[in-house]
Amino acid sequence: MTGPPPLTGLHVLEFAGLAPGPFAGLLLADNGASVLRIDRAITNLTHSSSSELPPPTNDLLTRHKSSIAVDLKSASGIALIKFLIPHTDIVIDPFRPGVLEKLGLGPGVFLSLNPRIILGRMTGFRRDGRYKDMAGHDINYIAVSGALAMLGRKGDKPLPPANILGDFAGGGATLFQGILLALLAREKSGKGQVVEANMVDGSAYLVTLPRMLMKTPMWDRPRGENTLDSGCPYYDTYETKDGQYMAVGALEPQFFAELIKGLGLAGRGIEKTRNDRNTWPGLKAAFTRLFLQKSRSEWEKVFDGTDACCTPVLDYRELETDPTREGDQRPAVTLRDTPGLALSEGPLSRDPATGQGPGIEGGSFSGVVLSPGEGGEDTLKEWLGWKRGKDFEVENGGLVRKPSSKL
């Protein structure tokens, strides 16, 4: 019998922002926290008496979240936020350095209102670095961290891995980790604290082993000439006859032996010379020629069930539509007794520890949009028992606290 998700009961205020902050909030929400997003108030549109919701924002990282609209440029809007702070466990600050302080909501203010609060702050560049006052995106942050320089093929320019490494791995997921550490520390001390995360340090930390390997023969050559960066023939991808691809990662001798057996190259002494880099260009050319002789599905029949470390390169279109593939997204980790919430839709008979609950319509392939103000008033009622007209009202499209109300 599974229990509720591990973060159930925690209250989170997430200031609306770009991908890293919302992703940290998504991870909290997927694990049971109640996440309330603070959106920009729009007069006569947000929290209006109309039954129609305002247009949703571009943020798709919204599952399990709700929203209220607040005018952060007004004193009454800031006052509402301050009223919420004593009832909040975690705040996510996605702004550039100094923005929260200019609003009168700096770390000192939050901690004075609630000594147990955890303020998770997400920036791109370091707050104390040479780029701290500059705008940037994922590609810029991983560029100055050193990570981007390692990615790409020989003779080609550095290749950014979309915005996965900076925004999500080095950004949102790292901030989530910091918030969890702060929650653990709060259990011991009873005190909250400020959690600082930035995508430069986050992406650099993820590259810990590769940057150490650069001092060894495994990665001491220019980009694209090393074992793990496409220089090695038995750690690369190869096109198949039907324009698909197979991924090869046969690094260990026993796995390499299985690979060349499947390719029809066994018994030619290749096992003994595979570590000689002078043989790599010829071996890569041979692998390229052989993989083009069969379709991807034919190669799957050859290598499925073996230790050749040779698998198909699957794209999300087929993962979404082919039930024989493992395309149903699950929580990143499984807690057997208190698992997170289900992401993909699935039968009630499935193991609840792989993600409990019915799942989200559209699963992990369709983002859930959230309109400013959507569901937020219900969340305020759930958190505090607040009701419109009694405890708060609408002013210029944003919620404000009624002067006569008490905490």
Side-chain angles (χ1 to χ4, degrees):
M1 187 70 178
T2 57
L7 302 183
T8 299
L10 290 178
H11 295 171
V12 182
L13 285 181
E14 175 194 304
F15 286 95
L18 298 177
F23 186 57
L26 182 76
L27 291 169
L28 292 167
D30 281 346
N31 287 286
S34 177
V35 179
L36 181 61
R37 192 178 72 188
I38 309 298
D39 278 303
R40 183 171 62 90
I42 306 173
T43 303
N44 298 323
L45 194 58
T46 49
H47 296 290
S48 72
S49 57
S50 171
S51 60
E52 294 186 7
L53 290 168
T57 69
N58 293 326
D59 182 10
L60 297 179
L61 304 172
T62 63
R63 59 181 177 240
H64 308 302
K65 299 180 185 180
S66 58
S67 164
I68 59 173
V70 179
D71 183 0
L72 296 179
K73 295 182 179 179
S74 74
S76 55
I78 295 298
L80 178 79
I81 299 297
K82 290 181 177 179
F83 272 116
L84 292 175
I85 293 305
H87 308 282
T88 301
D89 294 286
I90 300 161
V91 172
I92 296 178
D93 167 22
F95 303 126
R96 290 176 65 176
V99 171
L100 207 60
E101 286 82 353
K102 289 180 181 178
L103 294 173
L105 294 173
V109 174
F110 284 142
L111 289 167
S112 67
L113 293 170
N114 181 359
R116 289 178 53 83
I117 203 163
I118 293 167
L119 174 58
R121 314 193 80 181
M122 182 80 257
T123 60
F125 298 116
R126 289 177 173 178
R127 286 184 182 271
D128 59 349
R130 65 181 295 174
Y131 307 106
K132 60 184 177 64
D133 296 323
M134 295 170 55
H137 280 293
D138 179 294
I139 190 170
N140 306 113
Y141 309 136
I142 67 173
V144 302
S145 78
L148 181 56
M150 305 183 75
L151 308 176
R153 291 189 176 275
K154 179 180 179 180
D156 206 348
K157 60 185 180 180
L159 178 66
N163 64 335
I164 298 169
L165 182 54
D167 280 350
F168 295 103
T174 298
L175 177 61
F176 174 65
Q177 173 184 275
I179 289 171
L180 296 183
L181 292 174
L183 286 170
L184 287 173
R186 190 174 75 176
E187 288 297 306
K188 298 177 182 179
S189 68
K191 297 179 180 180
Q193 60 180 299
V194 178
V195 177
E196 293 279 6
N198 69 77
M199 286 171 264
V200 173
D201 290 331
S203 59
Y205 205 89
L206 290 167
V207 188
T208 294
L209 180 58
R211 69 197 292 180
M212 291 177 177
L213 289 176
M214 294 178 74
K215 304 292 184 180
T216 74
M218 193 171 188
W219 211 315
D220 63 352
R221 299 197 178 200
R223 180 175 59 250
E225 297 182 21
N226 302 284
T227 303
L228 301 180
D229 66 355
S230 78
C232 176
Y234 41 91
Y235 199 90
D236 205 347
T237 58
Y238 292 92
E239 186 175 0
T240 56
K241 186 177 181 179
D242 54 349
Q244 302 293 317
Y245 292 88
M246 294 292 287
V248 173
L251 293 175
E252 291 78 7
Q254 67 274 25
F255 301 154
F256 183 78
E258 289 290 317
L259 174 68
I260 61 172
K261 176 183 176 182
L263 290 173
L265 296 175
R268 303 186 186 188
I270 299 174
E271 301 97 320
K272 298 178 181 179
T273 60
R274 73 187 191 102
N275 290 323
D276 182 354
R277 289 175 181 264
N278 293 320
T279 69
W280 283 7
L283 192 56
K284 181 166 287 194
F287 286 2
T288 299
R289 175 178 52 81
L290 287 169
F291 274 107
L292 283 170
Q293 293 177 3
K294 298 180 188 294
S295 68
R296 195 188 72 182
S297 61
E298 289 176 313
W299 283 119
E300 286 188 74
K301 292 177 182 178
V302 171
F303 289 113
D304 274 3
T306 75
D307 282 346
C309 299
C310 187
T311 56
V313 177
L314 305 176
D315 66 41
Y316 281 118
R317 291 176 182 84
E318 60 187 309
L319 284 170
E320 181 178 7
T321 57
D322 185 349
T324 67
R325 302 294 186 182
E326 298 174 345
D328 59 316
Q329 188 181 6
R330 302 176 179 180
V333 293
T334 295
L335 301 181
R336 300 302 305 181
D337 295 332
T338 58
L341 299 172
L343 308 182
S344 298
E345 293 181 284
L348 295 176
S349 60
R350 69 180 169 191
D351 181 357
T354 61
Q356 57 185 323
I360 301 297
E361 184 179 355
S364 57
F365 292 96
S366 300
V368 179
V369 295
L370 185 65
S371 296
E374 183 178 353
E377 294 187 38
D378 291 335
T379 300
L380 292 179
K381 183 178 180 180
E382 177 188 334
W383 284 16
L384 306 166
W386 284 5
K387 297 180 180 179
R388 187 194 288 210
K390 177 177 178 291
D391 303 286
F392 63 88
E393 54 193 4
V394 180
E395 183 179 288
N396 297 323
L399 299 189
V400 297
R401 186 82 165 129
K402 291 196 73 172
S404 59
S405 299
K406 299 179 181 179
L407 281 173

